[in-house]
Amino acid sequence: MIIVFLKITDNIVTTTISSTIILITEEDEVQRIKSLQQVLLALINIMAPLLGAIFFTVISLKSLVFIELICEMICLLFITNLHIKNRRITDNTGDERILSMFLDGLKYSFKHKKIMFSLFFAGIVNFILCSYLIGLPYIQVNVLDFKNIEFGLTESIFSLGLIASGIFLSISKSLKYPLKFSYLSVIGMSFLTILLGSLLMIEFNRFIYILLFCGFNFIIGIFISFASIPVTSWLTINIESAYQGRIFNLLNVLSQVLLPLGILFYSQIFNYFSYTTIFIISGIVLFLFSSLSTKIFAIDLNDNELS
């Protein structure tokens, strides 16, 4: 129950922060803030397990709970003291209930093809990412018999890819066509996945395998940042302030639903098909869905206007 309540509060805070970024900064700063947010999250993913292991060995469980409470209170203090610079927000919720607000957010999404495109894009990418979450550890541990230090090295390189790409986007000018940039990044992910499946058909020595997985994790980390940061920045800038929370909540719900479904799906098919075949087919499917998505939703990625 503790984990459930913490997860609920984390989701609320994440959605709140995502929907208020446009209210506390200027539009040309959104990409930089989103990029730095990605860098911090990647650093936390690297440091948190290490710090958790250290704290758990030297601090009692009650003390850890107290530290968690202090951190949550500090977080709330920061949120309540955010300085709203941009006050374009309009309150049109009235006395709406949560369900009606959620349905209203769905209606708003269906009215705008580019929002539906973004939701679809996020969904298919999250689902295909499960092939990496299941397949890469399976191959490294069960097939190639990587040692703990080797497996830990290849996994940590993924976070370095997120950090490097986040820093690059944070110091770069705002992208001229963010949706197109995300689209091309996902196309790149599809080719990279096909390439991985093809290379795994070849037998290498252990050192080459380590380099292969390090390189793949680093590049896929870059592509994931390049795919997610521009599209979320575009949504932040273009969605009406009153609908920001609802749309980002939809994105969160979509990822929360598709992630376990994707894990369940890939955990099953890895028992029946070769991992090379799975990666190649997953890459082809990702490429086809990505290529057809612009035609399905009839949108122009060279136009940044909400349509």
Side-chain angles (χ1 to χ4, degrees):
M1 287 300 294
I2 294 175
I3 295 176
V4 171
F5 282 120
L6 287 175
K7 189 64 177 176
I8 290 173
T9 56
D10 286 343
N11 288 338
I12 292 173
V13 170
T14 300
T15 302
T16 302
I17 292 174
S18 297
S19 59
T20 54
I21 285 179
I22 194 62
L23 303 175
I24 61 176
T25 188
E26 302 299 329
E27 289 186 0
D28 57 359
E29 292 290 318
V30 170
Q31 178 181 302
R32 186 172 69 88
I33 292 175
K34 291 282 187 180
S35 302
L36 291 175
Q37 185 181 19
Q38 176 71 74
V39 171
L40 289 174
L41 288 174
L43 287 173
I44 290 170
N45 286 335
I46 294 175
M47 297 299 297
L50 177 62
L51 293 175
I54 294 174
F55 287 157
F56 192 76
T57 56
V58 299
I59 301 176
S60 66
L61 181 59
K62 289 183 178 180
S63 298
L64 285 174
V65 172
F66 182 73
I67 292 173
E68 169 71 20
L69 179 61
I70 296 296
C71 291
E72 293 284 350
M73 292 178 67
I74 293 173
C75 179
L76 290 174
L77 184 64
F78 277 120
I79 292 174
T80 54
N81 283 277
L82 287 175
H83 179 61
I84 306 298
K85 295 180 180 179
N86 187 342
R87 299 185 178 275
R88 292 177 300 169
I89 188 168
T90 56
D91 183 9
N92 62 356
T93 59
D95 295 325
E96 292 181 280
R97 295 181 181 275
I98 294 177
L99 179 60
S100 63
M101 292 173 65
F102 179 80
L103 294 176
D104 197 30
L106 278 177
K107 293 177 183 177
Y108 181 83
S109 300
F110 282 119
K111 284 170 54 181
H112 301 284
K113 292 182 292 184
K114 286 184 179 177
I115 294 180
M116 290 304 300
F117 166 80
S118 301
L119 293 173
F120 172 82
F121 225 50
I124 188 66
V125 169
N126 271 312
F127 191 84
I128 297 297
L129 279 178
C130 294
S131 66
Y132 312 145
L133 294 176
I134 299 297
L136 295 183
Y138 170 79
I139 296 169
Q140 293 175 81
V141 175
N142 295 339
V143 179
L144 300 177
D145 195 27
F146 273 18
K147 298 177 181 177
N148 289 338
I149 189 171
E150 294 168 339
F151 178 68
L153 172 65
T154 58
E155 289 295 295
S156 63
I157 294 295
F158 172 75
S159 295
L160 292 181
L162 294 176
I163 293 170
S165 54
I167 292 174
F168 173 80
L169 288 175
S170 69
I171 62 177
S172 302
K173 293 182 179 179
S174 296
L175 296 169
K176 187 175 182 181
Y177 302 115
L179 289 182
K180 186 176 183 179
F181 190 87
S182 293
Y183 168 81
L184 293 175
S185 298
V186 174
I187 295 293
M189 286 175 59
S190 67
F191 284 122
L192 186 64
T193 306
I194 296 171
L195 178 62
L196 175 67
S198 302
L199 289 175
L200 288 175
M201 293 181 178
I202 306 171
E203 186 173 345
F204 299 107
N205 62 46
R206 192 180 195 86
F207 180 71
I208 297 299
Y209 274 125
I210 294 174
L211 289 181
L212 173 64
F213 283 104
C214 284
F216 176 81
N217 281 339
F218 183 77
I219 298 173
I220 204 68
I222 291 175
F223 275 137
I224 288 174
S225 286
F226 283 177
S228 62
I229 292 173
V231 71
T232 54
S233 298
W234 180 85
L235 289 170
T236 301
I237 293 171
N238 288 277
I239 295 174
E240 294 178 33
S241 300
Y243 288 95
Q244 291 266 334
R246 308 179 202 192
I247 302 304
F248 282 110
N249 185 56
L250 282 175
L251 274 173
N252 190 38
V253 169
L254 192 65
S255 63
Q256 295 293 332
V257 170
L258 288 178
L259 188 62
L261 290 178
I263 291 175
L264 180 63
F265 174 76
Y266 278 104
S267 63
Q268 292 299 312
I269 66 171
F270 268 101
N271 293 324
Y272 299 100
F273 301 97
S274 70
Y275 49 83
T276 57
T277 301
I278 293 172
F279 280 124
I280 291 173
I281 292 178
S282 295
I284 293 173
V285 169
L286 182 59
F287 174 76
L288 291 175
F289 272 103
S290 301
S291 302
L292 295 174
S293 59
T294 54
K295 296 179 176 61
I296 293 173
F297 294 99
I299 60 173
D300 181 10
L301 297 179
N302 292 319
D303 179 14
N304 289 330
E305 295 298 319
L306 186 63
S307 61

